[in-house]
Amino acid sequence: MRPAHIRNTCILVCAVLSVAACSTTRRLGSDEVLYTGVKKIRIEPDSGVVLSAVGCVYRWELRDASGVDVQSGTEDVEIVSLMGTVSEHGSHLHASFARRDLSVFGGHLRPGCLVNTTAEIVLAELPDTVFTRERDEATGYEELAIRRIDRQF
């Protein structure tokens, strides 16, 4: 029998592959806002996760973990990572970018990122799940609330 961490990895990979069958892909073009472009991708029933994102931006804006400090810049950088939850009730996205010298930086994606030539985005749809946001008194933020949909056919 395989060790537990290998069994869990296999389960996770199988879950991702089954979700990938219900995915939506969109290419964002020059000057589109990365954050808004991801949110506009139509998924049913409106809850999903970012599976893949590649491309580049010429203007970037990220917030750090403090929730206060925002940094921005104007330079061509590659999108090397984009992940998060997507819903019309609120999305939570983190991005990492690589500079020309291959140094990488990242944080909480803000609406100020502008696509340079392309951004290819793949979202996995979660058909039995609805993401909403509810105020969490402990954190002070609108945090993810997950509701399962009981589909009866």
Side-chain angles (χ1 to χ4, degrees):
M1 183 167 220
R2 293 182 179 151
H5 71 281
I6 300 227
R7 284 193 313 273
N8 292 343
T9 300
C10 290
I11 291 169
L12 177 61
V13 169
C14 289
V16 168
L17 290 175
S18 67
V19 166
C22 302
S23 65
T24 300
T25 304
R26 179 161 180 242
R27 179 183 174 266
L28 306 179
S30 296
D31 296 319
E32 286 192 68
V33 178
L34 182 60
Y35 183 87
T36 306
V38 171
K39 288 183 61 171
K40 284 183 177 179
I41 298 172
R42 187 75 181 127
I43 51 178
E44 295 291 341
D46 184 50
S47 293
V49 295
V50 179
L51 283 181
S52 175
V54 295
C56 55
V57 298
Y58 67 89
R59 167 110 175 90
W60 56 267
E61 185 174 313
L62 300 170
R63 192 194 76 213
D64 73 0
S66 73
V68 177
D69 295 328
V70 174
Q71 294 186 33
S72 61
T74 304
E75 63 185 302
D76 293 340
V77 294
E78 291 284 343
I79 302 166
V80 295
S81 173
L82 178 63
M83 61 185 63
T85 55
V86 180
S87 169
E88 74 177 25
H89 304 290
S91 298
H92 187 180
L93 300 168
H94 288 197
S96 296
F97 301 119
R99 289 189 163 108
R100 172 167 263 173
D101 67 2
L102 303 182
S103 63
V104 176
F105 61 101
H108 186 95
L109 186 67
R110 304 262 308 161
C113 296
L114 298 176
V115 173
N116 184 2
T117 56
T118 191
E120 301 161 7
I121 312 297
V122 182
L123 295 184
E125 300 174 12
L126 303 175
D128 295 331
T129 307
V130 173
F131 293 154
T132 59
R133 296 276 160 186
E134 295 177 1
R135 180 142 180 96
D136 183 321
E137 296 306 321
T139 67
Y141 291 104
E142 297 288 317
E143 301 287 7
L144 181 66
I146 305 161
R147 184 170 51 88
R148 302 289 294 171
I149 298 172
D150 183 22
R151 294 183 185 265
Q152 297 185 16
F153 297 97

